[in-house]
Amino acid sequence: MKIGVVCYPTFGGSGVVATELGIELSKRGHEIHFITYSQPVRLELLSNNVHFHEVHVPEYPLFHYQPYELALSSKLVDMVKLYGIELLHVHYAIPHAYAAFMAQQMLEEEGIIVPIVTTLHGTDITLVGSHPFYKPAVTFSINKSDAVTSVSESLKKDTLRLFDIKEDIHVVPNFIDIEKIDQKFTDCQRGMMAEDHERIITHISNLREVKQIPDVIKIFYNIQKELPAKLMLVGEGPEKEGAERLVEELGITDRVVFLGNSNEIDRILCFSDLFLLPSKTESFGLAALEAMSNGVPVISTNTGGLPEINADGFSGYLSDVNAIHDMSKNAIKILSNDATLSQFKANAKIQSEKFDLRNIVPMYEKIYEETLKKFVVV
Ligand code: GMT
């Protein structure tokens, strides 16, 4: 199948899922065309089956805001015609589902039919999309999609609660490649980051407000009072400056390492003992799943889709949003005993196996096939 993939090419979870999905589909024989404003960060190699088409938005002084949707929908029309793309899979409703619908309409005028599959990732629904400024356009473009998927049951419920949706929503969870992770490292080079007796606690995100970075730091502060530990804060984002200040105020600068954006996530997780994700809302929590697949237990909130992946008392613990004391206590419970930590690490790995791409990617393929079938003229 020839599939056009539209996504945000950045370090955010939706872009990562779109990229990993595209790469895996290409290995399964599909021809994948990424259409976005820059090469997706996790897309290292282009091949016969994987193409990247850049959407240019020329600066024009008259425009206060440059019209990305317009450039994207024009590019979609051109690429569908040039490569014979059969289906568009757009990740993140805003503005991708909207631009895809416009492209679909333009193509229809020329007798070309291309169905749209839209995947809802979370903030396009819970934080941004439901804002009155966007809601009518988001509702419209979800309803105009030929198939809609969401990354968790929780996100499906939120979507149906917040929008007037007429479409059926298929739940297709985020995924990881267990085999790739298992083969990756024989030595994590843990010694580069911490002493043998120190526990390594990790948080990875785009350091936005929703990730509750002050809570990450406060939980770590409580942990390091009880046992020797280091915190790896991975990612870049608007909360970084405040985080650096808080770390200084708490007098733990020598215990906290800011690693910035990284393409070495599996290496970092390989030497981590515990992952913190105290988010205010999280439709799935891909970062937590990536941690678990590397054998790292997760201390998270019980918000959104997190209870669908982190099994409370097995792969880690779940707590209410802002329950810093509870999350610190649970973290210390896991970390203070070698046998307990080993058990949680093994459990985290087992729990993550449910989300192996071999179980999840066929779900997308089935949706593509069923969607295309709807358009076959008999
Ligand atoms: O929250 C992020 O880090 C980025 C965000 C995005 O839109 O790229 O992630 C969302 O999509 C991911 C992939 O489906 C999910 O795993 C994340 O839980 C979701 N983030 C939120 O809901 C806050």
Side-chain angles (χ1 to χ4, degrees):
M1 206 179 290
K2 293 184 181 185
I3 304 162
V5 177
V6 180
C7 65
Y8 282 106
T10 55
F11 281 93
S14 63
V16 170
V17 169
T19 309
E20 301 284 358
L21 175 62
I23 294 170
E24 181 57 23
L25 288 166
S26 76
K27 290 183 193 157
R28 289 164 172 258
H30 301 283
E31 187 178 300
I32 304 301
H33 295 263
F34 287 97
I35 304 161
T36 179
Y37 58 82
S38 67
Q39 184 160 327
V41 286
R42 288 232 184 151
L43 185 65
E44 279 155 14
L45 271 182
L46 297 175
S47 69
N48 274 350
N49 267 356
V50 184
H51 306 258
F52 162 60
H53 312 291
E54 189 172 342
V55 180
H56 294 282
V57 189
E59 289 278 325
Y60 188 63
L62 177 72
F63 299 144
H64 187 60
Y65 303 104
Q66 306 303 320
Y68 179 66
E69 290 95 304
L70 217 62
L72 175 61
S73 49
S74 294
K75 187 79 181 183
L76 289 174
V77 168
D78 290 346
M79 295 304 102
V80 167
K81 281 161 61 178
L82 189 62
Y83 292 97
I85 290 171
E86 295 156 273
L87 178 139
L88 293 172
H89 187 172
V90 303
H91 294 261
Y92 212 87
I94 309 168
H96 300 154
Y98 194 76
F101 174 70
M102 288 313 296
Q104 188 183 52
Q105 293 298 294
M106 288 185 261
L107 287 159
E108 214 177 297
E109 291 284 306
E110 298 185 44
I112 301 167
I113 303 295
V114 62
I116 302 164
V117 175
T118 297
T119 291
L120 309 174
H121 280 275
T123 46
D124 46 353
I125 298 301
T126 53
L127 293 183
V128 196
S130 52
H131 192 283
F133 291 168
Y134 298 118
K135 200 169 174 176
V138 174
T139 311
F140 174 81
S141 39
I142 294 176
N143 281 328
K144 288 291 177 189
S145 300
D146 300 297
V148 181
T149 79
S150 81
V151 297
S152 63
E153 288 291 346
S154 151
L155 181 60
K156 175 176 173 172
K157 272 199 203 117
D158 283 342
T159 310
L160 296 175
R161 180 173 52 82
L162 294 165
F163 298 86
D164 181 14
I165 298 301
K166 301 189 172 63
E167 280 288 301
D168 187 21
I169 300 179
H170 308 264
V171 174
V172 185
N174 289 177
F175 56 85
I176 27 92
D177 185 350
I178 290 283
E179 256 176 35
K180 195 167 104 193
I181 290 158
D182 285 347
Q183 290 157 2
K184 218 156 185 180
F185 302 111
T186 45
D187 174 15
C188 306
Q189 298 177 317
R190 190 183 197 282
M192 274 172 36
M193 299 319 288
E195 306 281 330
D196 279 354
H197 67 286
E198 288 174 317
R199 301 296 197 203
I200 301 183
I201 326 294
T202 299
H203 170 83
I204 305 173
S205 76
N206 41 23
L207 309 190
R208 282 178 303 141
E209 199 192 341
V210 67
K211 304 292 173 182
Q212 312 256 75
I213 305 303
D215 286 9
V216 172
I217 294 166
K218 288 175 196 162
I219 296 164
F220 172 72
Y221 178 73
N222 292 339
I223 297 172
Q224 60 84 47
K225 280 199 289 190
E226 297 298 319
L227 42 92
K230 280 219 163 125
L231 174 65
M232 306 289 142
L233 262 177
V234 186
E236 294 289 345
E239 293 289 292
K240 189 168 178 183
E241 234 181 274
E244 285 168 339
R245 261 199 317 273
L246 182 58
V247 164
E248 229 177 284
E249 274 162 32
L250 293 171
I252 51 173
T253 37
D254 57 333
R255 325 242 87 236
V256 181
V257 183
F258 286 88
L259 285 170
N261 282 334
S262 174
N263 264 332
E264 297 269 11
I265 293 304
D266 288 331
R267 182 177 292 286
I268 295 164
L269 291 170
C270 179
F271 55 61
S272 301
D273 295 306
L274 192 76
F275 191 81
L276 299 180
L277 195 62
S279 305
K280 199 184 289 176
T281 157
E282 199 69 65
S283 68
F284 184 89
L286 178 62
L289 176 61
E290 290 187 323
M292 284 158 49
S293 66
N294 279 278
V296 185
V298 173
I299 294 291
S300 72
T301 44
N302 52 17
T303 181
L306 285 168
E308 294 172 45
I309 54 163
N310 188 15
D312 194 32
F314 183 73
S315 55
Y317 284 103
L318 298 164
S319 302
D320 291 340
V321 173
N322 289 134
I324 293 171
H325 175 73
D326 201 46
M327 288 189 264
S328 312
K329 190 186 76 197
N330 289 334
I332 294 163
K333 190 154 54 176
I334 294 177
L335 293 170
S336 52
N337 177 293
D338 283 344
T340 312
L341 178 58
S342 300
Q343 187 60 61
F344 270 90
K345 284 188 167 198
N347 295 350
K349 178 102 199 156
I350 293 168
Q351 176 69 3
S352 73
E353 282 162 10
K354 293 182 188 161
F355 302 94
D356 184 37
L357 56 76
R358 285 152 203 86
N359 303 327
I360 311 294
V361 173
M363 295 166 82
Y364 279 118
E365 282 177 307
K366 189 161 173 256
I367 290 167
Y368 297 158
E369 278 155 23
E370 282 170 1
T371 309
L372 276 173
K373 258 192 225 151
K374 289 194 227 164
F375 288 83
V376 174
V377 189
V378 276

